[in-house]
Amino acid sequence: MPLPRSGPVRSEAARLSILEATAALIAERGYDHLTMEGIAARAGVGKQTIYRWWPSKGAVTAECLLEGMLAPGRFQLPHTGDVRRDLASWLGEIFGYLGSEQGESILRSLIGAAAENADVGRRLRDALFRADSLSARLTAAIGTTSNLPPDAPVEELAEALIGAVLLRALSREPVAPGDAERLLVAVLGR
């Protein structure tokens, strides 16, 4: 779902071209080398067209992520029936990606985009709590582990896990073996 805009109606073809160009440039050069000029040139649109719809390259990147154009198919939360194993695997994949230069810079850009534009922040949060999300996976696990009773605060547990990931990314703390499991113990208990 695109960010709501005021002003001229944007062309869906131009929007998709901009998002595809952004995703391709990030894959080729990384977020740190992404520029609005480069996106415009690759997409075949004017730079002002991009700025009319997105305030920054972080906002365009956030929309690419929300549209599934960055790292497609990655970070899908498994559902094997063992919530701890699924979450440990999922967190391990995220921590591994954040350990890469590209992953770290993309996450920092998303944090920056959310900080400068409340709508981007709301959309990122909504994406984390949609039907196939972390909170949905925790809800599905209610009753399968002693620390997930029927009244478990699944949204708060999901926020705690995501918050820990964000803090790790912001602090650039290296990930050590077992960190995902220790985080799960801290949030979900033993």
Side-chain angles (χ1 to χ4, degrees), residues 30-106:
Y31 177 80
D32 291 337
H33 299 289
L34 183 68
T35 65
M36 293 299 237
E37 293 83 3
I39 295 169
R42 175 71 68 96
V45 300
K47 193 167 69 168
Q48 283 309 111
T49 299
I50 300 171
Y51 279 116
R52 190 175 310 127
W53 299 327
W54 294 281
S56 66
K57 72 178 188 174
V60 181
T61 302
E63 188 147 345
C64 281
L65 179 71
L66 292 167
E67 293 283 329
M69 295 178 161
L70 290 179
R74 285 185 90 166
F75 313 120
Q76 295 295 320
L77 187 55
H79 197 321
T80 67
D82 182 339
V83 70
R84 285 183 184 276
R85 184 177 59 209
D86 293 347
L87 289 173
S89 171
W90 181 72
L91 287 168
E93 187 174 347
I94 291 172
F95 285 156
Y97 185 67
L98 293 178
S100 73
E101 187 176 317
Q102 179 176 346
E104 182 184 321
S105 67
I106 286 175

Side-chain angles (χ1 to χ4, degrees), residues 84-136:
R84 285 183 184 276
R85 184 177 59 209
D86 293 347
L87 289 173
S89 171
W90 181 72
L91 287 168
E93 187 174 347
I94 291 172
F95 285 156
Y97 185 67
L98 293 178
S100 73
E101 187 176 317
Q102 179 176 346
E104 182 184 321
S105 67
I106 286 175
L107 183 62
R108 283 194 327 265
S109 78
L110 295 175
I111 292 167
E116 73 184 23
N117 185 316
D119 190 53
V120 170
R122 279 189 293 278
R123 290 189 64 220
L124 288 169
R125 185 185 192 288
D126 290 347
L128 293 171
F129 293 97
R130 66 181 187 256
D132 60 344
S133 68
L134 175 56
S135 62

Side-chain angles (χ1 to χ4, degrees), residues 91-92 94-99 103-104 107-108 111 160-184 186:
L91 287 168
I94 291 172
F95 285 156
Y97 185 67
L98 293 178
E104 182 184 321
L107 183 62
R108 283 194 327 265
I111 292 167
L161 289 170
I162 296 299
V165 169
L166 293 176
L167 182 59
R168 178 69 56 106
L170 288 173
S171 68
R172 300 180 182 179
E173 186 70 28
V175 177
D179 278 357
E181 291 80 4
R182 283 188 290 280
L183 174 58
L184 289 171

